[in-house]
Amino acid sequence: MHNAIDQLLESANQVILGKPRQVKLALCCLLAHGHLLIEDIPGVGKTTLAHTLAKLLGLNYQRIQFTSDILPADIIGASVFDAKNHEFKFHPGPVFNQMVLADEINRATPKAQSAMLEAMEERQVTIEGKTYPLPLPFFVIATQNPSHQIGTFPLPESQLDRFLMRIELGYPDHQAERQLLMGKNRHQLCESLPVQLPSLQLQRIQLAVTEVHVSAALLDYCQAIIKYTRESPDYHCGLSPRAGLALLTAAKAWSFMDRRDAVIPEDIQAVLAAVTGHRLRAGSTQSEAIVAPILANVAVH
Amino acid sequence: MKPELDKNILIFLLSSVGLIVLPHIYHIPAAVFGFFGLLFSWRFIGIWKQKWLPNKPVIFIAVVCGIALLYNQHQGLFGRDAGTQLFIIALGLKLMEIKTERDLYLITYFAFIVAASQFLYEQSILMTAYILLICCVLLATLVYINSGKAQTLSAIKTAVIITVQALPIALALFILFPRIDAPKWMLLNDPHQARAGLSDSMEPGSISDLGGSDELVFRVKFASAIPPPRLRYWRGPVLTYTDGKRWTQIAFQKPMRSPVVTGRAYQYKLLMEPQDKNWIFALDMPVEIPSPLTISSAYQLSAVDRSDNRTEYDLISYTDYNTGPINLGEYKTATQLPSEPSDKIKQLVAQLHGFDSAPDNFINRLLNHFRVEDFHYTLTPPLIEENPIENFLFKTRYGFCSHYASAFVYLMRVAHIPARVVTGYQGGELNKAGDFLEIRQADAHAWAEVWLNDKGWVRVDPTAAIAPERIEQSSSIDWHTTYGIAAANVPAYNWLKQARQLWGKVDYNWQRWVINYDNKSQANFLSSFGINDLKTLTYWMIAVIASITAVLCWFLLYHKSKSADKVLSSYNRFCKKLVKHGLIRNAGEGAKDYAERVKTKLPAQTADIDQITAVFIKLRFGRIVTGEDLQSLKRLVDLFRA
């Protein structure tokens, strides 16, 4: 299992150049049953990352481009009258795919956003009293433009909470950029990727991740972090219990990827920025900067 | 054979099995023990020479041999001996087929049963300690099997802790659990084992074998005062018939005539050690006889059956007594002589006015004769093959109690005075620690009894005439002379004596409170707490065991949190060692990150740092934590030199 994960990361890193940490976090989020939010300016490779992961995992992939006039039915599907059989028939929308890329989610109106986010949370869609389960595994990568850009409806905290992680990609460094400019078309490269982790194996890994041991000493550390965010003046809103659970889940996946069967504080620290950055509204949009005081001040025993 | 079965585990297991079976060497036949020993050593060699281990057909033959051996010994499986030997043989055979871990467990449980079977034979305090020790070793074996790379010492430590934790519950169950009398069939077909002791016949010289034996025969605890040494005669078999050399009991029985007693009564508890015969050595003269005991016409007490266990009796004796007249039959047997006495002997009796004066005078003259003539008391007399009495009286003149007693009785009979030899024990050592008398084999004695017209049977001890210190001193002179410890005031000897007495007290109390704790004394003991019926007893048992468990749980949980602290303190010691290199661990820095940072500064120590960090992380955050990990963390940190 671990070898497959390593190979997958290696292949992804050949497509997404110079971003091994973000790639690893994205996979970690997937292994922890979570949805991923990528926030960055257009053109830094958000879509490519989503596409690459979908290809490597062999998942059905669908992109939904969010615009200001998109309707919930455009996302989840609608019942259409079938003239031949004289009945309404449900036409599933693009959300009925294993991997959904919700591109520029903050361009859509809150109504459309909430339709998407509800599907994400429930992992099922209910239309006209009938419930349709979404496929398994179900994984949403949403991208979001920085909220200072024109024509955006920022996601409220409650909805940001639905994402296990938020990562920023950022510009590639000098060498990666050069390699990118010299290399082949990313899209073609993406298409040629083989499946590294079939979905059955992925589900097995997701199950194994939940089995990772969490010791009392680690829980102490986890709780110390939560307590710190609630008491520190740096944050006007501390981490919720759900955030605490998310932190632990992500840390478990991270420690599993590091081939360990027990979570250690370093795992928490590794995922802390991605998991809590978007939950702690602290002025800065840079997750790393937001959690820096936590890392420095909460003691590891 | 799975390669995973560690050699160390096998060595550990086999050693504990060996230790368990070893004490059985006294109880089981040599053939069975030899068979076990053969299998055991085969298996032991097999640890290194795996190819030499038997295959299935050979094991089958071994099983058949074992069954045959067992059948040959017992023709069945019932009884203590057969059952124990069955277990021992089965244990030996099971050793031959250790294939999986399950076999190891099975052998360990088997070994526990064999260890318990020791108690069917011996219940002494030392054996109990030994069995407890063995239980520790067995538990250590289990600990060893279960923890992948255990260390012997820490496994034993864990086992000892487990045993100590189990002791309070064992104690509670011992006191409270309803006692059941062991059914008789468990003691079936025990071979009678020979033990040293008095025999039912006497040839002058035969008692010298006992002279040096320090073995305890019985203990006596008096309710009030202890009689003085000169009255401490413990009555055993009475020998009436003689063929000139040998003195034996006679089967003739007549209704016992109760002696008329005067003076003070001595009330005492007599605790007999296991013995070969059913004789009970009461203080001369016993009157109150507890129900299972019988008294012979010669006033010798005996139990219904001989006992392999220690038994306690409540007795009352009087030292002043008058047995009254005797009848003709008794007179005849008490004056019986093998043949016409020789002229020399007749001459001696005549010389001491045996034929022409009152018996009292003759007795005194004869005792005086022993005293003034050249007679000597010794435990190592020369052998007298022919005419022992005549040769003793006129030639060798070296002898001990039985020589003097037999010669005295013979001469009495020549003078037509009814007389007989009484064997038993005389004296006894006062255990000051426990305030009871200890009577050992070395106190074996023989004296004479003479029937006088108005006094009945009167005790006369000719040995007292020749060696009064043998009688007067409370400790046995024989023991001193035999072992050459003449000076009883040597400090080392006193110290030894005190230690022996203290041990005697411990042993006596063990017997009284532990071994004799049967259903009767349990009922007595429990009713003093108001526990009279089974229901109350059950409630008590549950309550006591639950509270012991609660205390243990609290202790263990408390201890566990303390051990977590130990992990941290060990790791902090490691961090402290690195401080001098300027490597201070930041508040929010995990052990792994810190290790990476330290390694860049101290590349030479990479292996040590990695090991310490790995063990620490395992202990602090890992799923399975063992005591050995903490030990190894401590050791690694101790060894770490930054």
Side-chain angles (χ1 to χ4, degrees):
Chain A
M1 284 199 287
H2 288 106
N3 289 337
I5 292 174
D6 289 349
Q7 273 176 16
L8 190 144
L9 285 173
E10 201 184 317
S11 307
N13 281 325
Q14 278 163 11
V15 182
I16 321 291
L17 295 167
K19 301 284 171 202
R21 186 174 169 76
Q22 281 83 344
V23 170
K24 196 175 173 186
L25 278 171
L27 184 64
C28 172
C29 182
L30 184 64
L31 297 186
H33 267 285
H35 303 295
L36 180 66
L37 179 65
I38 308 177
E39 183 172 302
D40 223 319
I41 52 166
V44 289
K46 301 188 289 267
T47 318
T48 316
L49 175 61
H51 201 176
T52 307
L53 282 178
K55 281 303 285 185
L56 287 170
L57 294 164
L59 303 175
N60 300 327
Y61 170 76
Q62 181 70 53
R63 173 180 177 152
I64 310 169
Q65 184 63 52
F66 280 62
T67 56
S68 53
D69 57 354
I70 196 167
L71 294 172
D74 297 331
I75 300 164
I76 59 177
S79 293
V80 177
F81 187 73
D82 186 351
K84 209 158 105 195
N85 295 328
H86 294 279
E87 60 179 17
F88 283 93
K89 197 178 171 215
F90 179 66
H91 283 253
V95 82
F96 284 87
N97 277 290
Q98 288 173 315
M99 181 174 279
V100 176
L101 174 64
D103 217 359
E104 301 190 86
I105 195 166
N106 59 347
R107 287 211 181 280
T109 53
K111 194 171 180 180
Q113 281 174 0
S114 61
M116 178 72 206
L117 292 163
E118 267 181 53
M120 279 164 59
E121 184 67 20
E122 310 291 332
R123 288 168 196 267
Q124 63 187 26
V125 168
T126 306
I127 291 169
E128 289 156 6
K130 217 171 162 198
T131 301
Y132 304 93
L134 292 173
L136 273 174
F138 178 66
F139 185 45
V140 173
I141 298 181
T143 71
Q144 161 167 266
N145 295 318
S147 42
H148 55 78
Q149 289 200 333
I150 299 163
T152 55
F153 296 91
L155 293 171
E157 281 98 338
S158 62
Q159 295 194 340
L160 276 173
D161 214 25
R162 306 278 163 84
F163 292 97
L164 181 66
M165 289 187 187
R166 182 189 70 174
I167 59 175
E168 294 114 27
L169 280 175
Y171 295 122
D173 59 19
H174 180 75
Q175 197 174 351
E177 184 129 38
R178 190 167 188 97
Q179 226 178 323
L180 179 78
L181 294 171
M182 278 163 56
K184 279 200 238 169
N185 181 311
R186 294 291 118 184
H187 194 70
Q188 281 173 6
L189 213 58
C190 218
E191 287 300 322
S192 65
L193 286 172
V195 175
Q196 299 271 21
L197 203 64
S199 66
L200 203 68
Q201 211 178 344
L202 175 67
Q203 285 177 31
R204 213 177 296 148
I205 291 176
Q206 285 176 332
L207 197 69
V209 162
T210 60
E211 301 284 309
V212 173
H213 178 70
V214 176
S215 61
L218 189 100
L219 288 177
D220 289 344
Y221 180 60
C222 197
Q223 282 190 296
I225 289 178
I226 296 168
K227 189 164 175 248
Y228 179 82
T229 63
R230 289 174 191 167
E231 288 172 359
S232 164
D234 296 345
Y235 314 106
H236 30 91
C237 180
L239 288 173
S240 65
R242 181 157 55 181
L245 282 171
L247 184 61
L248 212 53
T249 317
K252 279 181 176 182
W254 190 267
S255 98
F256 184 84
M257 289 167 82
D258 268 2
R259 296 166 186 250
R260 263 179 283 108
D261 67 344
V263 184
I264 62 172
E266 280 86 341
D267 298 322
I268 298 263
Q269 294 173 351
V271 298
L272 185 66
V275 175
T276 61
H278 57 294
R279 293 176 161 103
L280 296 163
R281 293 268 159 166
S284 170
T285 52
Q286 290 290 312
S287 298
E288 303 286 348
I290 293 169
V291 299
I294 302 178
L295 292 178
N297 293 327
V298 180
V300 179
H301 287 296
Chain B
M1 165 87 26
K2 273 201 329 188
E4 291 99 280
L5 282 181
D6 194 354
K7 265 183 195 149
N8 284 337
I9 289 181
L10 285 176
I11 294 174
F12 216 112
L13 183 72
L14 285 174
S15 323
S16 49
V17 166
L19 282 174
I20 281 147
V21 180
L22 193 64
H24 272 304
I25 196 166
Y26 291 113
H27 318 130
I28 64 175
V32 175
F33 196 82
F35 184 67
F36 175 82
L38 180 77
L39 295 172
F40 180 77
S41 24
W42 194 345
R43 180 60 247 196
F44 216 94
I45 294 165
I47 297 177
W48 291 277
K49 307 261 182 200
Q50 292 213 3
K51 280 182 197 157
W52 292 11
L53 284 176
N55 51 12
K56 277 220 169 113
V58 178
I59 292 179
F60 180 75
I61 293 168
V63 170
V64 171
C65 286
I67 293 171
L69 192 61
L70 211 57
Y71 187 78
N72 180 34
Q73 297 281 347
H74 298 285
Q75 283 85 36
L77 288 178
F78 293 105
R80 179 189 69 174
D81 288 349
T84 310
Q85 285 162 38
L86 173 72
F87 272 114
I88 289 174
I89 286 180
L91 181 62
L93 288 169
K94 187 66 200 168
L95 285 179
M96 291 286 107
E97 45 156 31
I98 303 177
K99 288 201 181 66
T100 59
E101 220 163 68
R102 187 180 158 277
D103 295 323
L104 296 178
Y105 292 130
L106 201 68
I107 287 174
T108 318
Y109 300 142
F110 243 138
F112 270 116
I113 295 175
V114 173
S117 70
Q118 287 288 354
F119 285 129
L120 296 177
Y121 292 94
E122 203 180 330
Q123 299 154 350
S124 72
I125 197 163
L126 284 176
M127 184 52 83
T128 311
Y130 184 76
I131 300 283
L132 263 182
L133 197 79
I134 275 177
C135 285
C136 288
V137 179
L138 277 178
L139 279 174
T141 312
L142 283 178
V143 171
Y144 204 100
I145 295 168
N146 275 293
S147 66
K149 39 168 191 178
Q151 287 145 339
T152 315
L153 265 182
S154 65
I156 289 176
K157 200 177 143 194
T158 314
V160 170
I161 291 172
I162 292 174
T163 313
V164 170
Q165 283 163 353
L167 276 182
I169 294 178
L171 201 64
L173 284 176
F174 175 82
I175 294 171
L176 293 175
F177 198 83
R179 287 188 169 257
I180 305 149
D181 276 330
K184 273 273 183 226
W185 58 263
M186 283 181 72
L187 302 169
L188 283 179
N189 65 26
D190 294 339
H192 285 238
Q193 285 161 359
R195 284 196 186 86
L198 286 180
S199 70
D200 49 6
S201 68
M202 182 184 85
E203 277 178 80
S206 69
I207 293 183
S208 90
D209 303 341
L210 301 176
S213 165
D214 198 17
E215 198 191 325
L216 194 66
V217 190
F218 57 96
R219 298 183 174 102
V220 184
K221 191 169 176 68
F222 283 92
S224 49
I226 300 176
R230 65 183 170 80
L231 292 178
R232 290 183 207 152
Y233 281 85
W234 311 98
R235 197 179 179 89
V238 176
L239 312 177
T240 314
Y241 177 81
T242 179
D243 62 358
K245 276 184 180 176
R246 211 174 136 82
W247 294 76
T248 50
Q249 284 177 292
I250 46 164
F252 170 75
Q253 291 286 322
K254 65 158 190 100
M256 206 269 295
R257 189 181 294 115
S258 292
V260 179
V261 290
T262 48
R264 68 167 299 169
Y266 290 100
Q267 192 180 351
Y268 54 97
K269 282 182 193 301
L270 189 122
L271 183 72
M272 288 298 301
E273 292 291 306
Q275 54 158 346
D276 230 14
K277 304 276 178 11
N278 56 343
W279 300 332
I280 309 298
F281 298 93
L283 184 70
D284 227 0
M285 168 68 65
V287 262
E288 298 270 321
I289 317 296
S291 65
L293 298 183
T294 53
I295 188 160
S296 74
S297 56
Y299 309 107
Q300 189 204 349
L301 290 188
S302 43
V304 179
D305 211 347
R306 78 184 191 92
S307 175
D308 265 330
N309 299 315
R310 290 170 169 176
T311 356
E312 198 178 62
Y313 304 99
D314 284 306
L315 297 170
I316 295 175
S317 291
Y318 287 81
T319 47
D320 289 331
Y321 54 87
N322 187 337
T323 58
I326 52 172
N327 61 22
L328 190 62
E330 217 176 345
Y331 178 85
K332 269 187 177 164
T333 53
T335 49
Q336 171 265 341
L337 286 172
S339 56
E340 188 65 17
S342 70
D343 291 344
K344 229 172 168 183
I345 287 181
K346 278 184 185 163
Q347 205 185 329
L348 175 70
V349 173
Q351 183 195 328
L352 296 170
H353 302 279
F355 301 113
D356 53 3
S357 70
D360 282 3
N361 290 333
F362 177 53
I363 292 167
N364 286 334
R365 281 197 201 98
L366 181 54
L367 291 177
N368 198 44
H369 175 75
F370 284 143
R371 211 174 290 137
V372 295
E373 290 292 316
D374 191 24
F375 283 94
H376 300 276
Y377 182 81
T378 173
L379 279 182
T380 48
L383 276 176
I384 313 170
E385 307 249 328
E386 290 297 313
N387 285 335
I389 290 170
E390 200 175 320
N391 276 329
F392 170 70
L393 283 173
F394 302 109
K395 273 189 190 159
T396 63
R397 294 191 162 187
Y398 275 88
F400 50 87
C401 55
S402 52
H403 296 87
Y404 287 100
S406 56
F408 182 86
V409 170
Y410 188 88
L411 291 178
M412 285 294 134
R413 288 183 179 187
V414 171
H416 306 293
I417 302 168
R420 57 196 187 187
V421 176
V422 183
T423 56
Y425 294 87
Q426 196 278 324
E429 191 177 357
L430 181 68
N431 184 320
K432 292 196 180 72
D435 201 28
F436 51 79
L437 282 176
E438 289 172 327
I439 288 91
R440 300 173 187 279
Q441 293 292 10
D443 297 318
H445 193 50
W447 59 93
E449 245 180 1
V450 181
W451 185 81
L452 299 176
N453 213 347
D454 47 354
K455 291 179 182 167
W457 286 105
V458 174
R459 182 177 63 232
V460 182
D461 190 351
T463 316
I466 187 72
E469 67 277 9
R470 167 72 174 79
I471 310 304
E472 292 297 328
Q473 281 184 5
S474 56
S475 69
S476 150
I477 184 113
D478 299 351
W479 202 71
H480 295 179
T481 40
T482 316
Y483 290 94
I485 312 171
N489 293 329
V490 177
Y493 173 73
N494 277 340
W495 185 84
L496 258 174
K497 199 168 137 177
Q498 272 177 10
R500 201 174 73 165
Q501 289 191 346
L502 200 67
W503 172 249
K505 184 189 179 187
V506 170
D507 197 35
Y508 179 76
N509 284 323
W510 171 261
Q511 178 65 34
R512 285 210 60 188
W513 299 110
V514 180
I515 307 294
N516 286 358
Y517 189 70
D518 53 10
N519 50 359
K520 220 161 153 191
S521 51
Q522 185 187 34
N524 281 341
F525 180 74
L526 292 182
S527 66
S528 66
F529 287 92
I531 307 172
N532 289 318
D533 57 317
L534 203 63
K535 205 169 131 192
T536 336
L537 181 64
T538 316
Y539 289 150
W540 265 78
M541 213 148 71
I542 292 170
V544 167
I545 287 170
S547 46
I548 291 174
T549 315
V551 169
L552 274 178
C553 282
W554 177 81
F555 179 76
L556 288 176
L557 292 175
Y558 174 74
H559 197 70
K560 189 150 192 179
S561 68
K562 261 177 80 178
S563 92
D565 296 343
K566 280 185 198 155
V567 173
L568 262 187
S569 76
S570 287
Y571 184 70
N572 287 340
R573 267 194 307 132
F574 164 70
C575 296
K576 223 172 254 174
K577 285 185 176 184
L578 291 165
V579 165
K580 63 182 173 201
H581 294 273
L583 293 161
I584 300 165
R585 187 167 159 231
N586 300 327
E589 192 169 31
K592 209 166 134 242
D593 290 344
Y594 181 57
E596 294 302 322
R597 192 155 64 87
V598 170
K599 276 192 281 181
T600 55
K601 194 96 178 249
L602 299 169
Q605 314 265 18
T606 302
D608 288 345
I609 295 165
D610 276 343
Q611 211 178 351
I612 289 174
T613 309
V615 176
F616 169 69
I617 287 177
K618 186 180 173 205
L619 279 167
R620 188 94 178 112
F621 303 107
R623 191 190 297 269
I624 300 155
V625 178
T626 57
E628 290 102 60
D629 290 327
L630 180 59
Q631 298 303 320
S632 76
L633 177 68
K634 278 184 187 162
R635 212 178 46 247
L636 284 168
V637 173
D638 286 342
L639 293 174
F640 184 77
R641 296 277 172 270

